């Protein structure tokens, strides 16, 4: 973490914006700033890592009628995401072993998709938004 002139701490993180189809480096200050960056109420760490880095997402991302999706390697992610690593104490730190260009080369944006709530907990599917 780096301390800014205002006394806030921030660290380099990667933001994947699924709606606008952008992947950028951002300075993430804390948990509440993650909520703001992802435009959500609750966070979860996605059950897949990219080069040992955590993927933070909106915990309620699949509970909507639709969302914007992206594919990272062979994993489909609902909504926006922040990529950060974790230190030995369990604190979030800057991504390790992953450049912004490498991340960009591994992401494919899928656009807006309908979420079939009836199949959410059994045979989850997404369909093209019409």
């Amino acid at each position: 973490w780096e301390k800014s002139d205002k006394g806030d701490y921030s660290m380099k993180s990667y933001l994947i914006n699924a709606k606008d189809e952008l992947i950028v480096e951002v300075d993430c200050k804390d948990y509440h700033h993650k909520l703001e960056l992802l435009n959500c109420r609750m966070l979860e760490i996605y059950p897949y890592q990219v080069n040992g880095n955590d993927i933070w997402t909106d915990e309620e991302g699949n509970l909507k009628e639709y969302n914007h999706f992206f594919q990272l390697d062979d994993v489909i992610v609902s909504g926006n995401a922040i990529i950060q690593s974790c230190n030995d104490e369990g604190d979030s730190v800057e991504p390790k072993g992953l450049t912004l260009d490498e991340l960009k080369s591994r992401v494919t944006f899928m656009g807006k998709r309908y979420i079939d709530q009836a199949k959410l907990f059994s045979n989850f599917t997404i369909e093209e938004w019409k």
Side-chain angles (χ1 to χ4, degrees):
W1 293 75
E2 294 179 18
K3 192 170 184 182
S4 71
D5 294 336
K6 298 177 186 173
D8 295 329
Y9 288 89
S10 64
M11 78 174 105
K12 175 180 88 171
S13 306
Y14 300 139
L15 172 66
I16 302 172
N17 182 321
K19 181 179 179 183
D20 296 327
E21 299 189 358
L22 314 165
I23 303 172
V24 295
E25 183 178 306
V26 295
D27 287 325
C28 186
K29 294 177 180 60
D30 57 20
Y31 179 87
H32 297 289
H33 194 215
K34 283 179 192 166
L35 293 171
E36 183 181 329
L37 288 169
L38 294 178
N39 191 27
C40 66
R41 296 179 322 137
M42 297 169 52
L43 293 174
E44 73 177 336
I45 295 182
Y46 209 73
Y48 170 79
Q49 289 191 331
V50 55
N51 290 34
N53 295 290
D54 296 323
I55 303 171
W56 289 87
T57 61
D58 177 359
E59 184 173 321
E60 300 172 319
N62 288 329
L63 301 179
K64 302 172 182 179
E65 178 182 6
Y66 68 88
N67 208 341
H68 294 81
F69 287 77
F70 66 90
Q71 184 169 338
L72 175 56
D73 299 331
D74 60 347
V75 175
I76 295 175
V77 180
S78 175
N80 300 333
I82 293 174
I83 309 295
Q84 295 176 328
S85 191
C86 183
N87 65 18
D88 292 338
E89 288 80 39
D91 298 321
S92 293
V93 295
E94 300 189 346
K96 296 178 183 173
L98 181 68
T99 67
L100 185 60
D101 288 335
E102 180 184 356
L103 179 61
K104 287 179 179 181
S105 73
R106 294 168 67 176
V107 170
T108 304
F109 292 103
M110 301 173 67
K112 187 177 185 178
R113 302 287 177 166
Y114 170 74
I115 301 170
D116 188 345
Q117 297 298 322
K119 297 179 181 176
L120 187 59
F121 297 106
S122 59
N123 189 13
F124 178 73
T125 61
I126 61 171
E127 300 169 10
E128 186 173 353
W129 182 261
K130 296 177 185 173

